[in-house]
Amino acid sequence: MNWEAFLAPYAQVVEELKVKLKGMRAQFEYESRHSPIEFITGRVKPIPSILEKAHRKGIPEHRFEDDIQDIAGVRVVCQFVDDIYTIVNLLRSRKDFFIIEEKDYIVEKKESGYRSYHMIIKYPVETIHGEKRIVTEIQIRTLAMNFWATNEHSLNYKYDGQIPGKIKSRLKRAAEAAFKLDEEMSNIKEEVQEAQRIFYEYKRKH
Amino acid sequence: MNWEAFLAPYAQVVEELKVKLKGMRAQFEYESRHSPIEFITGRVKPIPSILEKAHRKGIPEHRFEDDIQDIAGVRVVCQFVDDIYTIVNLLRSRKDFFIIEEKDYIVEKKESGYRSYHMIIKYPVETIHGEKRIVTEIQIRTLAMNFWATNEHSLNYKYDGQIPGKIKSRLKRAAEAAFKLDEEMSNIKEEVQEAQRIFYEYKRKH
Amino acid sequence: MNWEAFLAPYAQVVEELKVKLKGMRAQFEYESRHSPIEFITGRVKPIPSILEKAHRKGIPEHRFEDDIQDIAGVRVVCQFVDDIYTIVNLLRSRKDFFIIEEKDYIVEKKESGYRSYHMIIKYPVETIHGEKRIVTEIQIRTLAMNFWATNEHSLNYKYDGQIPGKIKSRLKRAAEAAFKLDEEMSNIKEEVQEAQRIFYEYKRKH
Amino acid sequence: MNWEAFLAPYAQVVEELKVKLKGMRAQFEYESRHSPIEFITGRVKPIPSILEKAHRKGIPEHRFEDDIQDIAGVRVVCQFVDDIYTIVNLLRSRKDFFIIEEKDYIVEKKESGYRSYHMIIKYPVETIHGEKRIVTEIQIRTLAMNFWATNEHSLNYKYDGQIPGKIKSRLKRAAEAAFKLDEEMSNIKEEVQEAQRIFYEYKRKH
C-alpha cells in the first residue's frame, strides 16, 4: 500500500475543515456574540492505529476508505454543553459536505463515562487528479469532556482497551467531576455569554 | 457601511484558497514531481485602497461586490514561466469555484513592463448566515515577475500612478533584466525539474 | 504616547517566550516523558486595559514599564497540579531571564476561588536600537483552573469588578467543581503519565 | 547515535532565530522604514546530508558539533544588495549570540557564480537539561541570488557536485542575469525605499 498517496487527501480535508471551522468562530466574534467554538484540533490517524483498527474489526484494505470512518478527524471544543448543539445545527446547514451519520454520546453516555457528539461526513476535496469524497469524523465536546477523554484515551492505549477495574472506577469518578463542572458552568452560562457579548463589542470598537 | 461584516467572507475565501493551493503544492512533492508552485500569498484589499479604487472608477457602494474584483486576492508564485500554465490548467479543472475571466499579461505584457496571469473567479463560501459567492482575483507569476511587480507597486503608490519618465525607464530596464532571468532559467528548466524529482524521491524515502 | 513603539518590544517578548516554552514541551515528548505543558498562550495587554489599570492604581505614564507587570503575559496550561511545580523549577533554572517575584495562588487561593501560579520576570530582548529588559508575567495553571478563570475574567469585565452576590456564589460552586476535578485527576495521574510515556515511545519508533 | 536528542537543540535554535529575525523586520515596518529583510527561512540539515558531509570531509562523530557548521541554518533574503550589509551590522550588534566567522561571497563570488554572505555564530539555547551553545550558519542574500542558488543546489544534488560543463555554463549565464537584475534594482533602490516609507506610514495611520 502506498500510504503517502492514500493519506494525502485525508490530510488536505483536515486542513480545509480546520480553516472553515476557525472562520465560523471568527464570525461569531465579529458579530459580538458568544462563540460556541473554543478551539479546533485535527489529525490524520497514524498508520499503526489504522492497521490495528482494521485488524481488530476485520476490515480488508479495499474497504479502509469506507469502513474506517475516523482516518480524518476534526475535534471542536466548546465552553458549554448547549454550544455543542448550536454547532451541530450550523454544520447541518452547510452545503460543502454531506452528513452520513450522527451519534449523540452526551444524551446516551458510554458505559466508561465517555461523553461527546460524533458526526460522520463525506467531504469533497479537489486533488491534482480530480475530486475525491473523503469520509471524516467530527467530534464535538465541552472542555471538561475533552479533558477527561484525553486521559481515558492514554489509559486505553496503555491497557490495550482493558483498563483494570480499580483504575476504571477512578476514571469514572473523574468523569463525574467533569460532568459536575459542566453542570455548574451551565448555571452561569447566560451571565458569561452576556459578558462576552459586551467584551467583543468593546474590542471591536477599540 | 459595516466594513467588518462586509470584509469577513473575503478574509475567509483568502484563507480557504491558501490552504487549497498549499495542498496542491504538497501533492506534487508527495509524488516526487517538480511543484509548479513556489509559494502562495493572499490578502484582503485595505479599506482605503477599496475606497480609492471605487472613487477613481466611479463605482457606487452597492456595486462593490461585483465591480471591484480584487477585494480578495491570492497570488501564486512559480519558478519557471511554463509552471504558470500548468497551474492555470489545474485551476480550470477544479469544481469548487467558477472562473469568470482570464487575462494573460505574459503573452501581452503591459506598456509598463508588467507581466502576470490573472484569473477572476467566483468562490462559494459558507458563512454562519448561509452560502455567499465571492469574486476573487488569482494572480500567477514567476519569482522574477513578482520581484519586479512588487517594486513597481510601491512606486505607483508613491507617485499616485504617475511615475516620472526617468524612473519609468529605469523600471523598464529592470523589467528587461527580470525577463532575461526568466529566459535563462527556462534554458535550465528541464535539468532542474529532473534534479528536483530525484531530490523529492530521496526525501520521501528517508 | 507612541503606543506602537512602546508595545513593539512587549510583542517580541511574548513571541520569543512562546517559542521557548513550546520547545520545552517538544523536548519532553522527544524523551518519551509526560510533558508538564499542555498548551501555551500569550498576549500583549490591550491599550484600553493598560489605561484602565493605570487609572485604577494611580500609575503615571513614566512608571508603566516598571509598575504594570502584565503588559506582556504568557500562560502555561498543564494537565495536573503537580506539573505546575515542575514548570516553576524549570523556569527557575533558565539563564535567559531574571525572576523578580513569585506568587502561589494555589496554596493560597484568592477569596473569589481564583487559583494560579504567577511569576514576574525581566526578559532581555534585542531591538534594532539595542537591548531592552521587559517586565513580563507568566501564569501557570491546570486546565480546570484555566477554564474557571476564563469565565471569571469575562464576568469581572462585565460587572467592572463588582460581580453581584448571587453570581459570585455560583462562580464559587463552579470553582469547587473545578477543584474537585483537579483532585480526581491527581488520583489517576501516575497511571496517565505512565501511559503517555508508552505512547510517546511508540510514536517515536514509528 | 541518538539523532533525535542530538538534533532537538538545533531545531530549537532555528525556531528562536526565525522569531527574532521576524521581529527585526516588524520593527522596521513599525518605524515606517524600508525593511532590509524580505523573508526568513530556516531548516535543520537532514540526517543523510549530515552523514554525507561528514564522510566527504572525514569528520568523526564526536566532532560533528564543532566541525559541521550548518546543521542549524537560517536564511535571510533581501530586496537590495545594500540591505545585506545593513543586516550584517544589525547582527553584529546583538548580544544574544557570538559571531565566530564571516565569509563575504558577494565581494568574492565563487567560481560557480554563487553569491551570498555567510555568518557562523554560536547561539546559547536553554534545554530542559541546562544551557547548550549551538553552532549555526546564517546566510544573507538578495532575492535574485536566492533564486539562482536554489536551482544550483538542486543541480549539484543531482550531479553529486559534478555538474556537466554544458549545464554549468548555462547556470553561469543565469547567474549573470541574476546579477544584472540586482544591479538594475540598485538603480531604483532609493526611489523604492522612499515609496515604502510612505506606504508604511500610511498603513500605520489607517
Side-chain angles (χ1 to χ4, degrees):
Chain A
M1 184 150 189
N2 180 346
W3 280 106
E4 240 181 0
F6 178 72
L7 293 179
Y10 289 90
Q12 185 58 25
V13 170
V14 168
E15 287 314 305
E16 293 189 14
L17 277 170
K18 275 165 67 183
V19 162
K20 288 178 171 187
L21 292 164
K22 280 177 188 170
M24 256 168 67
R25 182 178 54 182
Q27 276 183 284
F28 277 100
E29 297 185 5
Y30 280 128
E31 302 189 2
S32 308
R33 290 202 270 161
H34 163 71
S35 165
I37 299 177
E38 196 68 14
F39 63 84
I40 295 129
T41 62
R43 65 98 191 88
V44 174
K45 202 177 183 73
I47 298 171
S49 308
I50 296 174
L51 291 174
E52 185 274 322
K53 189 167 196 170
H55 183 254
R56 181 160 42 84
K57 301 206 164 184
I59 301 168
E61 221 172 271
H62 72 277
R63 297 289 309 161
F64 282 8
E65 273 189 38
D66 290 309
D67 293 355
I68 305 185
Q69 302 190 312
D70 64 347
I71 294 177
V74 172
R75 184 175 298 157
V76 184
V77 182
C78 324
Q79 208 174 0
F80 302 112
V81 178
D82 287 5
D83 292 338
I84 294 171
Y85 297 97
T86 307
I87 294 162
V88 166
N89 284 326
L90 278 167
L91 294 178
R92 281 179 187 153
S93 70
R94 292 185 75 108
K95 289 177 199 133
D96 49 352
F97 53 73
F98 317 94
I99 298 171
I100 295 176
E101 201 187 338
E102 301 187 28
K103 292 176 236 170
D104 186 340
Y105 296 123
I106 297 159
V107 168
E108 291 189 69
K109 73 175 169 203
K110 286 196 185 174
E111 169 60 21
S112 61
Y114 180 83
R115 291 180 303 141
S116 215
Y117 197 101
H118 290 196
M119 197 177 250
I120 311 294
I121 65 167
K122 267 209 167 172
Y123 183 98
V125 70
E126 289 287 336
T127 76
I128 57 181
H129 308 298
E131 194 197 89
K132 268 189 85 77
R133 302 191 164 197
I134 299 292
V135 176
T136 307
E137 184 180 87
I138 303 177
Q139 299 180 338
I140 312 157
R141 4 167 124 160
T142 63
L143 284 158
M145 293 174 192
N146 189 47
F147 182 23
W148 182 87
T150 305
N151 288 330
E152 195 223 10
H153 183 81
S154 301
L155 293 170
N156 252 325
Y157 179 84
K158 179 182 171 193
Y159 293 108
D160 208 7
Q162 307 294 318
I163 302 176
K166 197 178 143 198
I167 294 158
K168 224 176 195 162
S169 66
R170 277 187 199 159
L171 249 182
K172 264 200 182 162
R173 278 212 307 281
E176 279 150 27
F179 181 67
K180 177 84 178 143
L181 180 54
D182 273 338
E183 275 192 331
E184 293 293 355
M185 285 299 176
S186 286
N187 289 330
I188 51 171
K189 187 194 67 171
E190 273 158 52
E191 284 295 329
V192 171
Q193 287 179 342
E194 170 69 6
Q196 285 175 339
R197 203 191 51 69
I198 295 171
F199 181 69
Y200 289 130
E201 186 91 10
Y202 176 80
K203 239 175 69 177
R204 239 172 28 88
K205 288 193 185 139
H206 288 84
Chain B
M1 185 151 190
N2 182 344
W3 280 105
E4 241 180 1
F6 178 72
L7 294 179
Y10 288 90
Q12 185 58 26
V13 170
V14 169
E15 287 315 304
E16 294 188 14
L17 277 171
K18 276 164 65 182
V19 162
K20 288 178 172 186
L21 292 164
K22 281 177 188 173
M24 257 167 66
R25 182 179 55 181
Q27 274 182 285
F28 278 99
E29 296 186 6
Y30 280 129
E31 302 188 3
S32 307
R33 288 202 271 162
H34 162 70
S35 166
I37 299 177
E38 197 67 14
F39 63 85
I40 295 129
T41 62
R43 63 100 190 89
V44 174
K45 202 178 184 70
I47 299 170
S49 309
I50 296 173
L51 291 175
E52 185 274 322
K53 189 168 195 169
H55 182 255
R56 182 160 41 85
K57 301 206 164 183
I59 301 167
E61 222 171 88
H62 72 277
R63 297 289 309 162
F64 283 9
E65 274 189 38
D66 290 307
D67 294 354
I68 305 184
Q69 302 189 313
D70 64 346
I71 295 178
V74 172
R75 183 175 299 158
V76 184
V77 182
C78 323
Q79 210 173 357
F80 302 112
V81 178
D82 286 5
D83 292 338
I84 294 171
Y85 299 96
T86 307
I87 295 162
V88 166
N89 284 326
L90 278 167
L91 294 179
R92 281 180 187 152
S93 71
R94 292 186 74 109
K95 289 177 198 134
D96 50 351
F97 53 73
F98 317 93
I99 298 172
I100 296 177
E101 200 187 338
E102 301 187 28
K103 289 176 237 171
D104 186 339
Y105 296 123
I106 296 158
V107 168
E108 292 188 68
K109 74 175 170 202
K110 286 195 186 175
E111 168 62 21
S112 60
Y114 180 84
R115 291 180 304 140
S116 213
Y117 197 100
H118 290 196
M119 198 178 248
I120 311 293
I121 65 167
K122 267 210 166 173
Y123 184 97
V125 68
E126 288 287 337
T127 76
I128 57 180
H129 309 298
E131 194 196 89
K132 268 187 86 75
R133 302 189 165 199
I134 299 291
V135 176
T136 307
E137 185 180 88
I138 304 178
Q139 298 179 338
I140 313 158
R141 1 168 127 158
T142 63
L143 284 158
M145 292 174 194
N146 189 46
F147 183 22
W148 182 87
T150 306
N151 288 330
E152 195 222 10
H153 184 80
S154 301
L155 291 172
N156 252 324
Y157 179 83
K158 180 183 169 193
Y159 292 107
D160 207 6
Q162 307 295 319
I163 302 177
K166 197 180 143 195
I167 296 159
K168 225 175 194 162
S169 65
R170 278 188 199 159
L171 250 181
K172 263 199 184 165
R173 279 211 306 280
E176 278 150 28
F179 181 68
K180 178 85 178 141
L181 181 54
D182 273 338
E183 275 190 332
E184 293 293 355
M185 286 300 176
S186 286
N187 289 331
I188 51 171
K189 188 194 67 171
E190 270 157 56
E191 283 298 326
V192 170
Q193 286 180 341
E194 170 68 8
Q196 285 175 339
R197 202 191 52 69
I198 295 171
F199 181 70
Y200 290 129
E201 187 91 9
Y202 176 79
K203 241 176 68 175
R204 238 171 29 86
K205 287 195 185 135
H206 289 85
Chain C
M1 182 151 193
N2 181 345
W3 280 106
E4 242 180 1
F6 177 73
L7 294 178
Y10 289 90
Q12 186 58 26
V13 170
V14 169
E15 287 315 304
E16 293 188 16
L17 278 170
K18 276 165 65 183
V19 162
K20 289 178 171 187
L21 293 163
K22 280 178 188 173
M24 258 167 66
R25 183 178 55 182
Q27 274 183 282
F28 278 100
E29 297 185 7
Y30 279 130
E31 302 189 3
S32 307
R33 290 202 271 160
H34 163 70
S35 166
I37 299 175
E38 197 67 16
F39 62 84
I40 295 130
T41 62
R43 64 100 187 88
V44 174
K45 203 178 182 70
I47 299 171
S49 307
I50 296 174
L51 291 175
E52 184 275 321
K53 191 168 195 168
H55 183 255
R56 182 159 41 82
K57 301 205 165 185
I59 300 169
E61 222 171 270
H62 72 278
R63 299 288 311 158
F64 282 10
E65 273 190 36
D66 290 307
D67 294 354
I68 305 184
Q69 302 190 312
D70 63 346
I71 295 177
V74 171
R75 184 174 297 157
V76 184
V77 182
C78 321
Q79 208 173 1
F80 302 113
V81 178
D82 287 5
D83 292 337
I84 293 172
Y85 298 97
T86 307
I87 294 163
V88 167
N89 285 325
L90 279 167
L91 294 179
R92 282 180 187 153
S93 71
R94 293 185 75 108
K95 290 178 198 132
D96 50 351
F97 53 73
F98 318 95
I99 298 173
I100 295 177
E101 201 188 339
E102 300 187 29
K103 291 176 235 170
D104 185 341
Y105 297 122
I106 296 158
V107 168
E108 291 188 71
K109 74 175 171 205
K110 286 196 186 175
E111 170 62 21
S112 62
Y114 180 83
R115 291 180 303 140
S116 213
Y117 196 99
H118 290 196
M119 198 177 250
I120 311 294
I121 65 168
K122 265 209 169 175
Y123 184 98
V125 70
E126 290 286 337
T127 75
I128 56 181
H129 309 299
E131 195 197 87
K132 268 188 86 77
R133 300 187 167 202
I134 299 292
V135 176
T136 307
E137 184 179 88
I138 304 177
Q139 299 179 339
I140 313 156
R141 5 168 123 158
T142 62
L143 284 159
M145 292 174 194
N146 189 47
F147 182 22
W148 183 86
T150 307
N151 288 330
E152 195 222 10
H153 183 81
S154 301
L155 292 171
N156 252 324
Y157 179 85
K158 179 182 171 193
Y159 293 109
D160 207 8
Q162 308 293 321
I163 302 175
K166 197 179 145 196
I167 295 158
K168 226 176 193 162
S169 66
R170 276 187 199 160
L171 249 182
K172 266 199 182 162
R173 279 211 309 279
E176 279 150 28
F179 181 69
K180 179 85 179 141
L181 180 55
D182 273 337
E183 275 192 330
E184 293 293 355
M185 282 302 174
S186 285
N187 289 330
I188 50 172
K189 187 194 66 171
E190 271 156 55
E191 283 297 328
V192 170
Q193 286 180 341
E194 169 70 5
Q196 284 174 339
R197 204 190 50 69
I198 296 171
F199 180 69
Y200 289 130
E201 187 91 11
Y202 176 80
K203 240 174 70 175
R204 238 171 29 86
K205 289 195 187 136
H206 288 84
Chain D
M1 182 150 192
N2 181 346
W3 280 106
E4 241 180 1
F6 177 73
L7 293 179
Y10 290 90
Q12 186 59 26
V13 170
V14 170
E15 287 314 305
E16 294 189 14
L17 277 171
K18 276 164 65 182
V19 162
K20 288 178 171 187
L21 292 164
K22 280 177 188 173
M24 257 167 66
R25 182 179 53 183
Q27 275 182 283
F28 277 100
E29 296 186 5
Y30 279 131
E31 303 189 1
S32 307
R33 289 203 271 160
H34 163 70
S35 167
I37 300 176
E38 196 68 14
F39 62 84
I40 295 130
T41 62
R43 65 99 187 88
V44 173
K45 203 177 182 71
I47 299 170
S49 308
I50 296 174
L51 291 174
E52 185 275 323
K53 189 167 196 168
H55 183 255
R56 182 159 41 85
K57 302 205 163 184
I59 301 168
E61 220 172 272
H62 71 278
R63 299 287 312 159
F64 283 10
E65 273 188 37
D66 290 308
D67 294 354
I68 305 183
Q69 303 190 312
D70 64 344
I71 296 177
V74 171
R75 183 174 299 157
V76 184
V77 182
C78 322
Q79 210 174 358
F80 302 111
V81 178
D82 287 4
D83 292 338
I84 293 173
Y85 298 97
T86 307
I87 294 163
V88 167
N89 284 325
L90 279 166
L91 294 179
R92 282 179 187 154
S93 71
R94 293 186 74 110
K95 291 178 197 131
D96 50 351
F97 53 72
F98 318 95
I99 297 172
I100 295 176
E101 201 187 339
E102 301 187 29
K103 290 176 235 168
D104 186 339
Y105 296 124
I106 296 158
V107 168
E108 291 188 69
K109 71 176 175 205
K110 287 195 184 174
E111 169 61 20
S112 61
Y114 180 82
R115 291 180 303 140
S116 214
Y117 196 100
H118 290 197
M119 198 178 250
I120 311 294
I121 64 167
K122 266 209 168 174
Y123 184 98
V125 70
E126 290 286 338
T127 76
I128 58 180
H129 309 299
E131 195 197 87
K132 268 189 87 75
R133 299 185 169 205
I134 298 292
V135 177
T136 306
E137 184 179 271
I138 304 177
Q139 299 179 339
I140 313 157
R141 4 168 124 158
T142 62
L143 284 158
M145 293 175 194
N146 189 47
F147 182 22
W148 183 85
T150 306
N151 288 331
E152 194 221 11
H153 183 81
S154 300
L155 291 171
N156 252 324
Y157 180 85
K158 181 183 170 192
Y159 292 108
D160 208 6
Q162 307 295 319
I163 302 177
K166 195 179 144 197
I167 295 159
K168 224 175 194 162
S169 65
R170 275 187 200 160
L171 249 181
K172 266 201 183 162
R173 278 211 308 281
E176 279 150 28
F179 181 68
K180 178 84 179 142
L181 181 54
D182 273 337
E183 275 191 331
E184 294 293 354
M185 284 300 176
S186 286
N187 290 330
I188 50 170
K189 187 195 68 169
E190 270 157 58
E191 283 297 327
V192 170
Q193 286 180 342
E194 169 69 7
Q196 284 174 339
R197 203 190 53 69
I198 296 171
F199 181 69
Y200 290 131
E201 186 92 10
Y202 176 80
K203 239 174 72 175
R204 240 172 27 87
K205 289 195 184 135
H206 289 86

